[in-house]
């Protein structure tokens, strides 16, 4: 744990009157939870300061957590401290005005690819950025205030980014911090109802994915969802992107890929794996992410087939050289 960096960040926050929090584009539960959780902690700890959360997009998946702040005058960025959470590279920050801030702090758990903060708290081993923020709170709990609302945001990010505490990145520390958050009174029944209740159309879409998904020679499961199909099921782009999760438990399939066509024709790729490292494959297509959860874009079906072929070769190599996989 980078206790000294955490204390330095607290010191920096103390020295500013205005703090603006940013996260990555197309935010997931962790990015929303971390940004909203941090905002809540800072607002409760420093009621005299102006704390804003200003991003250009939101997440339907965790919309139940509530919205964003109203945009503020551009001039107000200039003497503000910017804190960017859950974002490895500055190109993915969901508000281009982040560069106007006087200083930036990065708080992240991704493999570092771009150092963009004057102060950086990066702990790759954390299962979520929310876990890291909870740890930051704990290291500075003599000055920071945790509330039930903040704990709910952070706990939501922790459960969504760790596959409900199933992933290998979950450590004893993850659960101890989650326990600390639960002690604040997080309503888990309401949270899980929000996470699991599905629209009728979504379930129909799920059955479509199971019918149309394919599997490569060495076990890469994949599905392609074009715009027409997505609209037929009445789904937003983000809802359609959730289909990668439907393929996560096929025996012998240690890599699974979802290709979802966007409104601009570009195909978003969501890569997931068990045991096999796939972030380098995503990086070779201009994307990135974690060892077992990455993302990138491809331009057309031809590039899609090429990526599937590379994933298949990766999996073949893994299976030939390793034992004990399912
Ligand atoms: P996703 O499939 O969007 O949930 O992404 C899985 C992981 O890969 C997340 O940690 C993302 O931050 C990262 N990621 C997704 N898309 C990209 C991209 N185009 N470039 C870099 N990292 C990405």
């Amino acid at each position: 744990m980078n206790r000294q960096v955490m204390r330095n960040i607290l010191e920096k926050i103390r020295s500013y009157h205005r703090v603006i929090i940013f996260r990555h584009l197309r935010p997931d539960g962790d990015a929303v939870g971390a940004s909203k959780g941090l905002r809540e902690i800072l607002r409760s700890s420093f009621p005299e300061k102006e704390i804003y959360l200003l991003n250009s997009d939101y997440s339907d998946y965790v919309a139940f957590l509530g919205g964003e702040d109203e945009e503020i005058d551009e001039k107000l960025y200039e003497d503000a401290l910017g804190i960017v959470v859950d974002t490895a590279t500055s190109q993915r920050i969901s508000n281009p005005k982040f560069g106007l801030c006087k200083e930036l702090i990065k708080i992240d758990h991704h493999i570092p690819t771009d150092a963009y903060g004057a102060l950086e708290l990066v702990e790759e081993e954390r299962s979520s950025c929310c876990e890291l923020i909870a740890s930051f709170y704990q290291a500075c709990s003599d000055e920071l205030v945790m509330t039930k609302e903040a704990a709910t945001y952070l706990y939501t990010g922790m459960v969504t980014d760790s596959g409900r505490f199933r992933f290998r990145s979950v450590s004893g520390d993850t659960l101890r911090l989650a326990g600390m958050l639960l002690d604040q009174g997080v309503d888990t029944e309401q949270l899980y109802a929000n996470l699991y209740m599905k629209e009728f159309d979504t379930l129909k879409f799920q059955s479509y994915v199971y019918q149309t998904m394919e599997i490569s020679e060495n076990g890469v499961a994949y599905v392609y969802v074009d715009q027409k199909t997505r609209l037929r099921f009445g789904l937003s782009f983000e809802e359609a992107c959730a289909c990668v999760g439907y393929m996560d438990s096929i025996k012998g399939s240690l890599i699974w890929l979802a290709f979802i066509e966007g409104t601009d024709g570009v195909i978003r790729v969501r890569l997931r794996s068990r045991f096999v490292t796939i972030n380098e494959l995503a990086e070779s297509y201009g994307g990135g992410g974690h060892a077992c959860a990455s993302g990138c874009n491809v331009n057309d079906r031809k590039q899609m087939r090429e990526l599937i072929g590379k994933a298949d070769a990766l999996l073949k190599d893994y299976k030939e050289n390793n034992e004990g996989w399912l």
Side-chain angles (χ1 to χ4, degrees), residues 102-118:
K102 197 163 173 195
E103 279 185 290
L104 277 185
I105 290 177
K106 174 186 188 183
I107 301 182
D108 189 29
H109 72 128
H110 294 93
I111 300 160
T113 47
D114 164 19
Y116 59 77

Side-chain angles (χ1 to χ4, degrees), residues 289-300:
H290 304 277
C292 296
S294 291
C296 63
N297 292 317
V298 292
N299 295 322
D300 49 39

Side-chain angles (χ1 to χ4, degrees), residues 24 26 92 110 268 270 272 286-290 293-297:
H24 63 76
R26 287 201 310 253
R92 295 203 75 223
H110 294 93
R268 178 182 174 191
R270 301 190 80 192
R272 297 292 183 269
H290 304 277
S294 291
C296 63
N297 292 317

